[in-house]
């Protein structure tokens, strides 16, 4: 068994070496070569056909992958639209139905392309590797025939040849010739037939592809027409104002309650500080406020004279200021109307405002320009630093 395998291997090696030698001699022009122009034309057509089939196979498969990707993307989009389209809106059921129809159309298109286009294309392309093997075998047998033919020619020109070897060489040449001619004859029939089959295959394959695409686009056009109708109805409902809407109660107005002081001590815990202008609107930097707040302090009863003005311990102008109840006006420095004590910490928001901590004493004085006076704001001087500025009255209490 081992001797048989070794003998077969050595014969194969010798045959391949002989073919390589013959091919080199033919390429160098030292040995003639059997040519077949008709076969060469068939071979050229075969090569072109195989390249085109490979290219078509690649692009069709890529197209199918894109179709499946679009199928997934379309499904995700329709699911999202169905989720965000609220149940109270008109056409919600129709939207869901058409989304399902659209998904089925994509799935049907992908199935048709796979079964009726790609599978036949795979079968068509599978012919080329087998035919290529036969063509290569024909080429090897042609080299064998040429080699045997050259050996016979050399022995025939030798007058001292061995007749027995010459006869054997002629027999080998005839065997090689018959083998080559059988393969060559088969390829002369099969290659043209394969080349002609390209037309019928292309027609059938592309008709299937285009018909599937036509049905798909025709049906999807109907689906999207229905979807457009659903959205148009929703738009009309919005324009008419007949779209159902949820009603919510209006928010309750915020009451302006006075701040509650839990302890009169400067270090005590206080309630949340009020807004800077009695809990109404913010102070204008250019004088005035957007709406009239309530007064922080009530004037002391019995302090008005016959002209209706307040008496201010001889300090300042009584026609502009009301002394709040509980305020002491006696024994104050000149120009001080009364004093207040901070009940909340205040962070200055403008350059002309006072900043103070809880418990600090502030001397209330007149505005330099009465036109700049603002409701809910006082002009004062911090007793600790002598800093002058505006401050909100409801952050303090009179003392």
């Amino acid at each position: 068994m081992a001797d048989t395998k070794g003998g077969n291997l050595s014969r194969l090696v010798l045959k391949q070496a002989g073919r390589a030698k013959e091919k080199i001699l033919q390429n160098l022009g030292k040995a003639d070569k059997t040519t077949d122009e008709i076969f060469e034309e068939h071979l050229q057509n075969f090569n072109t056909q195989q390249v085109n089939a490979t290219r078509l196979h690649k692009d069709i498969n890529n197209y199918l992958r894109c179709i499946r990707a679009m199928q997934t993307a379309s499904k995700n989009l329709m699911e999202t639209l169905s989720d965000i389209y609220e149940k109270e809106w008109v056409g919600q059921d129709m939207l869901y139905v058409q989304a399902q129809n659209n998904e089925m159309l994509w799935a049907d298109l992908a199935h048709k392309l796979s079964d009726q286009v790609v599978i036949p294309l795979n079968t068509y392309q599978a012919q080329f590797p087998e035919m290529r093997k036969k063509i290569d075998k024909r080429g090897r047998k042609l080299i064998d025939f040429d080699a045997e033919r050259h050996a016979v020619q050399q022995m025939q020109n030798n007058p001292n040849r061995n007749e027995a070897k010459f006869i054997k060489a002629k027999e080998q040449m005839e065997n090689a010739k018959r083998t080559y001619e059988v393969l060559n004859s088969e390829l002369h029939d099969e290659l043209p037939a394969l080349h002609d089959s390209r037309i019928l295959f292309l027609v059938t394959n592309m008709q299937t592809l285009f018909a599937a695409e036509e049905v798909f686009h025709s049906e999807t056009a109907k689906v999207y027409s229905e979807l457009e109708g659903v959205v148009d109805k929703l738009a009309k409902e919005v324009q008419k104002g007949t779209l159902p809407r949820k009603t919510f109660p209006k928010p309750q107005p915020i009451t302006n309650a006075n701040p509650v002081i839990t302890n009169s001590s400067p270090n005590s815990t206080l309630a949340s500080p009020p807004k800077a202008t009695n809990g109404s609107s913010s102070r204008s930097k250019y004088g005035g406020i957007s709406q009239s707040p309530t007064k922080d302090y009530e004037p002391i009863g019995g302090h008005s004279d016959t002209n209706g003005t307040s008496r201010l311990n001889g300090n300042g102008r009584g026609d502009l200021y009301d002394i709040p109840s509980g305020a002491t006006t006696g024994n104050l420095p000149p120009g001080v109307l009364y004093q207040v004590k901070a009940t909340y910490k205040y962070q200055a928001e403008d350059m002309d405002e006072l900043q103070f901590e809880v418990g600090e004493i502030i001397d209330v004085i007149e505005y330099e320009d009465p036109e700049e006076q603002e409701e809910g704001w006082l002009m004062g001087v911090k007793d600790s630093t002598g800093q002058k500025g505006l401050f909100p009255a409801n952050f303090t209490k009179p003392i």
Side-chain angles (χ1 to χ4, degrees):
M1 180 68 69
D3 294 341
T4 303
K5 289 184 177 180
N8 292 336
L9 180 60
S10 62
R11 283 195 298 270
L12 180 60
V13 172
L14 289 174
K15 184 177 288 187
Q16 290 179 347
R19 288 170 181 166
K21 179 180 177 182
E22 181 66 23
K23 205 164 186 179
I24 291 173
L25 292 174
Q26 289 178 356
N27 291 336
L28 294 175
K30 294 183 178 181
D32 61 335
K33 178 181 179 181
T34 302
T35 58
D36 188 341
E37 294 182 358
I38 297 176
F39 177 81
E40 293 298 327
E41 184 176 350
H42 292 331
L43 180 59
Q44 184 177 357
N45 291 337
F46 171 81
N47 291 334
T48 303
Q49 185 180 3
Q50 185 179 21
V51 169
N52 291 339
T54 302
R55 181 180 176 185
L56 180 62
H57 184 270
K58 176 183 176 182
D59 289 340
I60 286 290
N61 276 281
N62 184 54
Y63 184 74
L64 179 57
R65 283 193 295 272
C66 294
I67 290 293
R68 286 171 175 162
M70 278 296 299
Q71 178 186 359
T72 302
S74 177
K75 179 181 178 181
N76 293 338
L77 174 61
M78 288 301 171
E79 287 179 352
T80 300
L81 291 176
S82 298
D83 290 341
I84 67 176
Y85 202 93
E86 299 180 12
K87 294 181 180 180
E88 296 81 8
W89 295 352
V90 62
Q92 198 270 347
D93 294 338
M94 180 62 70
L95 177 68
Y96 176 79
V97 170
Q98 294 305 327
Q100 296 298 313
N101 292 339
N102 188 63
E103 182 180 348
M104 288 189 295
L105 288 172
W106 277 107
D108 183 62
L109 176 63
H111 179 74
K112 284 183 178 179
L113 292 184
S114 178
D115 284 0
Q116 301 177 23
V117 177
V118 175
I119 292 179
L121 179 57
N122 292 338
T123 304
Y124 172 74
Q125 196 183 25
Q127 303 175 91
F128 295 98
E130 294 298 323
M131 190 65 68
R132 177 65 64 183
K133 290 180 182 179
K134 200 167 186 178
I135 292 171
D136 293 341
K137 184 176 180 180
R138 182 251 182 203
R140 292 193 299 271
K141 296 305 178 181
L142 177 58
I143 292 177
D144 292 343
F145 168 63
D146 285 340
E148 296 295 341
R149 181 168 57 83
H150 294 152
V152 169
Q153 288 175 353
Q154 289 177 358
M155 294 179 68
Q156 188 174 7
N157 295 331
N158 185 5
N160 299 323
R161 66 179 178 270
N162 186 320
E163 289 298 329
K165 290 183 178 181
F166 180 64
I167 293 172
K168 185 178 180 179
K170 288 174 65 176
E171 291 176 356
Q172 291 177 348
M173 181 190 72
E174 290 299 326
N175 291 334
K177 181 179 179 182
R178 281 193 298 271
T179 303
Y180 160 72
E181 285 180 343
V182 169
L183 285 173
N184 190 55
S185 177
E186 290 176 357
L187 288 173
H188 270 273
D189 293 336
E190 294 173 1
L191 287 176
L194 178 59
H195 187 250
D196 291 340
S197 69
R198 76 193 190 283
I199 302 174
L200 181 59
F201 166 76
L202 189 64
V203 168
T204 304
N205 204 252
M206 292 301 100
Q207 279 181 339
T208 304
L209 172 63
F210 298 148
E213 288 283 356
E214 180 184 11
V215 172
F216 170 76
H217 289 291
S218 175
E219 294 300 320
T220 51
K222 296 177 183 178
V223 169
Y224 285 109
S225 178
E226 293 291 337
L227 292 174
E228 184 182 13
V230 169
V231 177
D232 287 343
K233 289 180 181 178
L234 179 62
K236 290 179 181 178
E237 292 285 340
V238 174
Q239 291 175 355
K240 293 178 181 178
T242 57
L243 187 68
R245 294 183 180 179
K246 293 182 180 179
T247 57
F248 298 94
K250 294 184 178 180
Q252 297 297 323
I254 299 175
T255 58
N256 296 328
N258 291 329
V260 178
I261 303 174
T262 58
N263 194 329
S264 60
S265 172
N267 297 323
S268 64
T269 303
L270 302 176
S272 300
K275 293 186 178 180
T277 55
N278 258 347
S280 72
S281 59
S282 61
R283 169 178 164 263
S284 168
K285 296 183 69 175
Y286 302 100
I289 54 176
S290 58
Q291 52 182 316
S292 298
T294 59
K295 293 184 179 181
D296 296 281
Y297 309 121
E298 294 296 331
I300 298 174
H303 283 264
S304 297
D305 58 16
T306 57
N307 295 326
T309 60
S310 299
R311 292 183 286 107
L312 301 176
N313 193 30
N315 297 326
R317 299 170 56 189
D319 59 342
L320 294 177
Y321 298 94
D322 289 329
I323 303 300
S325 174
T328 301
T329 59
N331 299 323
L332 295 176
V336 177
L337 303 178
Y338 58 93
Q339 290 183 319
V340 294
K341 184 177 183 179
T343 55
Y344 296 95
K345 176 181 178 180
Y346 181 69
Q347 182 71 33
E349 297 180 355
D350 286 312
M351 296 294 294
D352 59 347
E353 295 180 4
L354 279 182
Q355 180 171 312
F356 48 80
E357 301 290 334
V358 176
E360 289 198 69
I361 305 299
I362 303 172
D363 296 334
V364 180
I365 62 175
E366 295 181 1
Y367 278 81
E368 294 180 358
D369 184 356
E371 298 296 330
E372 294 181 357
Q373 183 174 353
E374 301 177 12
E375 291 287 345
W377 289 79
L378 299 173
M379 179 67 72
V381 178
K382 285 174 65 173
D383 190 60
S384 59
T385 63
Q387 181 183 0
K388 178 182 176 182
L390 295 171
F391 65 94
N394 59 348
F395 275 62
T396 64
K397 69 174 182 178
I399 59 175

Short mmCIF file of all heavy atoms in Angstrom, two decimals, residues 43-70:
data_model
loop_
_atom_site.label_atom_id
_atom_site.label_comp_id
_atom_site.label_asym_id
_atom_site.label_seq_id
_atom_site.Cartn_x
_atom_site.Cartn_y
_atom_site.Cartn_z
N LEU A 43 -13.50 31.52 -23.70
CA LEU A 43 -12.90 31.72 -22.38
C LEU A 43 -12.99 33.19 -21.95
O LEU A 43 -13.27 33.48 -20.79
CB LEU A 43 -11.44 31.26 -22.41
CG LEU A 43 -10.66 31.41 -21.09
CD1 LEU A 43 -11.33 30.61 -19.98
CD2 LEU A 43 -9.21 30.99 -21.27
N GLN A 44 -12.78 34.09 -22.88
CA GLN A 44 -12.89 35.52 -22.56
C GLN A 44 -14.32 35.89 -22.15
O GLN A 44 -14.54 36.64 -21.19
CB GLN A 44 -12.45 36.35 -23.77
CG GLN A 44 -12.43 37.85 -23.51
CD GLN A 44 -11.92 38.63 -24.70
OE1 GLN A 44 -11.52 38.04 -25.72
NE2 GLN A 44 -11.91 39.94 -24.60
N ASN A 45 -15.29 35.34 -22.88
CA ASN A 45 -16.69 35.58 -22.51
C ASN A 45 -17.01 35.02 -21.12
O ASN A 45 -17.74 35.64 -20.34
CB ASN A 45 -17.62 34.94 -23.55
CG ASN A 45 -17.55 35.64 -24.90
OD1 ASN A 45 -17.17 36.81 -24.99
ND2 ASN A 45 -17.89 34.92 -25.97
N PHE A 46 -16.46 33.84 -20.86
CA PHE A 46 -16.69 33.22 -19.55
C PHE A 46 -16.12 34.09 -18.42
O PHE A 46 -16.78 34.29 -17.39
CB PHE A 46 -16.03 31.83 -19.53
CG PHE A 46 -16.02 31.20 -18.16
CD1 PHE A 46 -17.14 30.55 -17.67
CD2 PHE A 46 -14.88 31.26 -17.37
CE1 PHE A 46 -17.13 29.98 -16.41
CE2 PHE A 46 -14.86 30.68 -16.11
CZ PHE A 46 -15.99 30.04 -15.63
N ASN A 47 -14.92 34.58 -18.60
CA ASN A 47 -14.30 35.42 -17.56
C ASN A 47 -15.12 36.68 -17.30
O ASN A 47 -15.34 37.07 -16.14
CB ASN A 47 -12.88 35.80 -17.98
CG ASN A 47 -11.94 34.60 -17.97
OD1 ASN A 47 -12.15 33.63 -17.25
ND2 ASN A 47 -10.90 34.66 -18.80
N THR A 48 -15.57 37.32 -18.37
CA THR A 48 -16.40 38.52 -18.22
C THR A 48 -17.71 38.20 -17.51
O THR A 48 -18.16 38.94 -16.62
CB THR A 48 -16.68 39.15 -19.59
OG1 THR A 48 -15.45 39.45 -20.25
CG2 THR A 48 -17.51 40.41 -19.45
N GLN A 49 -18.32 37.08 -17.91
CA GLN A 49 -19.59 36.68 -17.30
C GLN A 49 -19.43 36.38 -15.82
O GLN A 49 -20.28 36.75 -15.00
CB GLN A 49 -20.12 35.44 -18.03
CG GLN A 49 -21.51 34.99 -17.57
CD GLN A 49 -21.97 33.76 -18.34
OE1 GLN A 49 -21.23 33.21 -19.16
NE2 GLN A 49 -23.18 33.32 -18.05
N GLN A 50 -18.33 35.73 -15.45
CA GLN A 50 -18.09 35.41 -14.04
C GLN A 50 -17.88 36.68 -13.21
O GLN A 50 -18.40 36.80 -12.09
CB GLN A 50 -16.89 34.48 -13.90
CG GLN A 50 -16.65 34.02 -12.47
CD GLN A 50 -15.48 33.08 -12.35
OE1 GLN A 50 -14.60 33.06 -13.23
NE2 GLN A 50 -15.43 32.30 -11.28
N VAL A 51 -17.13 37.64 -13.74
CA VAL A 51 -16.90 38.89 -13.03
C VAL A 51 -18.22 39.63 -12.81
O VAL A 51 -18.50 40.13 -11.71
CB VAL A 51 -15.91 39.77 -13.81
CG1 VAL A 51 -15.87 41.18 -13.22
CG2 VAL A 51 -14.52 39.16 -13.80
N ASN A 52 -19.06 39.66 -13.84
CA ASN A 52 -20.34 40.35 -13.72
C ASN A 52 -21.26 39.66 -12.72
O ASN A 52 -21.98 40.31 -11.95
CB ASN A 52 -21.03 40.43 -15.09
CG ASN A 52 -20.30 41.36 -16.04
OD1 ASN A 52 -19.53 42.23 -15.62
ND2 ASN A 52 -20.50 41.17 -17.34
N ALA A 53 -21.25 38.32 -12.75
CA ALA A 53 -22.09 37.57 -11.82
C ALA A 53 -21.65 37.80 -10.37
O ALA A 53 -22.48 37.95 -9.47
CB ALA A 53 -22.06 36.09 -12.15
N THR A 54 -20.33 37.83 -10.16
CA THR A 54 -19.81 38.08 -8.80
C THR A 54 -20.19 39.48 -8.32
O THR A 54 -20.58 39.67 -7.16
CB THR A 54 -18.29 37.92 -8.80
OG1 THR A 54 -17.94 36.61 -9.24
CG2 THR A 54 -17.72 38.15 -7.41
N ARG A 55 -20.09 40.43 -9.22
CA ARG A 55 -20.45 41.81 -8.85
C ARG A 55 -21.94 41.93 -8.54
O ARG A 55 -22.33 42.57 -7.55
CB ARG A 55 -20.07 42.73 -10.00
CG ARG A 55 -20.37 44.19 -9.74
CD ARG A 55 -19.96 45.03 -10.93
NE ARG A 55 -20.32 46.43 -10.74
CZ ARG A 55 -20.16 47.37 -11.66
NH1 ARG A 55 -19.62 47.07 -12.84
NH2 ARG A 55 -20.51 48.62 -11.41
N LEU A 56 -22.78 41.29 -9.37
CA LEU A 56 -24.22 41.33 -9.13
C LEU A 56 -24.58 40.64 -7.82
O LEU A 56 -25.42 41.13 -7.05
CB LEU A 56 -24.95 40.66 -10.30
CG LEU A 56 -26.48 40.63 -10.22
CD1 LEU A 56 -27.04 42.04 -10.22
CD2 LEU A 56 -27.06 39.82 -11.38
N HIS A 57 -23.94 39.51 -7.57
CA HIS A 57 -24.20 38.77 -6.32
C HIS A 57 -23.85 39.63 -5.11
O HIS A 57 -24.59 39.66 -4.11
CB HIS A 57 -23.38 37.47 -6.33
CG HIS A 57 -23.63 36.60 -5.15
ND1 HIS A 57 -22.90 36.69 -3.99
CD2 HIS A 57 -24.55 35.62 -4.94
CE1 HIS A 57 -23.34 35.80 -3.11
NE2 HIS A 57 -24.34 35.14 -3.67
N LYS A 58 -22.74 40.32 -5.16
CA LYS A 58 -22.32 41.18 -4.05
C LYS A 58 -23.30 42.31 -3.82
O LYS A 58 -23.71 42.59 -2.68
CB LYS A 58 -20.93 41.73 -4.35
CG LYS A 58 -20.41 42.71 -3.31
CD LYS A 58 -19.06 43.27 -3.72
CE LYS A 58 -18.58 44.33 -2.73
NZ LYS A 58 -17.28 44.92 -3.15
N ASP A 59 -23.71 42.98 -4.89
CA ASP A 59 -24.58 44.15 -4.75
C ASP A 59 -26.01 43.75 -4.35
O ASP A 59 -26.66 44.47 -3.59
CB ASP A 59 -24.60 44.96 -6.05
CG ASP A 59 -23.29 45.68 -6.29
OD1 ASP A 59 -22.54 45.88 -5.32
OD2 ASP A 59 -22.99 46.02 -7.45
N ILE A 60 -26.50 42.61 -4.87
CA ILE A 60 -27.84 42.16 -4.49
C ILE A 60 -27.87 41.82 -3.00
O ILE A 60 -28.83 42.16 -2.27
CB ILE A 60 -28.27 40.95 -5.33
CG1 ILE A 60 -28.62 41.40 -6.76
CG2 ILE A 60 -29.47 40.24 -4.71
CD1 ILE A 60 -29.89 42.22 -6.88
N ASN A 61 -26.84 41.14 -2.53
CA ASN A 61 -26.79 40.79 -1.10
C ASN A 61 -26.68 42.04 -0.23
O ASN A 61 -27.29 42.11 0.85
CB ASN A 61 -25.62 39.86 -0.83
CG ASN A 61 -25.95 38.41 -1.12
OD1 ASN A 61 -26.60 37.73 -0.33
ND2 ASN A 61 -25.53 37.93 -2.28
N ASN A 62 -25.90 43.01 -0.68
CA ASN A 62 -25.80 44.26 0.05
C ASN A 62 -27.15 45.00 0.06
O ASN A 62 -27.56 45.58 1.07
CB ASN A 62 -24.72 45.15 -0.58
CG ASN A 62 -24.51 46.43 0.19
OD1 ASN A 62 -24.26 46.41 1.39
ND2 ASN A 62 -24.62 47.56 -0.48
N TYR A 63 -27.84 44.95 -1.08
CA TYR A 63 -29.16 45.58 -1.18
C TYR A 63 -30.15 44.91 -0.21
O TYR A 63 -30.93 45.59 0.46
CB TYR A 63 -29.67 45.45 -2.61
CG TYR A 63 -30.99 46.14 -2.88
CD1 TYR A 63 -31.07 47.52 -2.96
CD2 TYR A 63 -32.15 45.40 -3.05
CE1 TYR A 63 -32.29 48.15 -3.22
CE2 TYR A 63 -33.37 46.01 -3.30
CZ TYR A 63 -33.42 47.39 -3.38
OH TYR A 63 -34.63 48.01 -3.63
N LEU A 64 -30.08 43.58 -0.13
CA LEU A 64 -30.96 42.86 0.78
C LEU A 64 -30.65 43.21 2.24
O LEU A 64 -31.56 43.36 3.06
CB LEU A 64 -30.83 41.36 0.55
CG LEU A 64 -31.69 40.46 1.45
CD1 LEU A 64 -33.16 40.80 1.30
CD2 LEU A 64 -31.45 38.99 1.12
N ARG A 65 -29.37 43.36 2.56
CA ARG A 65 -29.01 43.77 3.93
C ARG A 65 -29.58 45.14 4.25
O ARG A 65 -30.05 45.39 5.36
CB ARG A 65 -27.48 43.76 4.09
CG ARG A 65 -26.88 42.37 4.26
CD ARG A 65 -25.44 42.45 4.72
NE ARG A 65 -24.58 43.06 3.72
CZ ARG A 65 -23.97 42.41 2.74
NH1 ARG A 65 -24.10 41.08 2.67
NH2 ARG A 65 -23.20 43.04 1.89
N CYS A 66 -29.52 46.04 3.28
CA CYS A 66 -30.08 47.39 3.48
C CYS A 66 -31.60 47.34 3.65
O CYS A 66 -32.17 48.09 4.46
CB CYS A 66 -29.69 48.30 2.32
SG CYS A 66 -27.93 48.65 2.20
N ILE A 67 -32.25 46.46 2.88
CA ILE A 67 -33.70 46.30 3.01
C ILE A 67 -34.06 45.85 4.43
O ILE A 67 -34.99 46.37 5.06
CB ILE A 67 -34.23 45.29 1.97
CG1 ILE A 67 -34.16 45.88 0.55
CG2 ILE A 67 -35.67 44.88 2.29
CD1 ILE A 67 -35.07 47.04 0.29
N ARG A 68 -33.30 44.89 4.93
CA ARG A 68 -33.57 44.40 6.29
C ARG A 68 -33.28 45.47 7.34
O ARG A 68 -33.98 45.57 8.36
CB ARG A 68 -32.74 43.15 6.54
CG ARG A 68 -33.30 41.92 5.80
CD ARG A 68 -32.38 40.74 5.87
NE ARG A 68 -32.99 39.57 5.25
CZ ARG A 68 -32.32 38.49 4.85
NH1 ARG A 68 -31.00 38.44 5.02
NH2 ARG A 68 -32.95 37.47 4.31
N ALA A 69 -32.24 46.26 7.09
CA ALA A 69 -31.95 47.37 8.01
C ALA A 69 -33.08 48.39 7.99
O ALA A 69 -33.50 48.91 9.03
CB ALA A 69 -30.62 48.02 7.65
N MET A 70 -33.58 48.70 6.78
CA MET A 70 -34.71 49.62 6.66
C MET A 70 -35.97 49.04 7.29
O MET A 70 -36.78 49.78 7.87
CB MET A 70 -34.96 49.95 5.19
CG MET A 70 -34.06 51.01 4.63
SD MET A 70 -34.31 52.61 5.45
CE MET A 70 -36.03 52.93 5.07
#
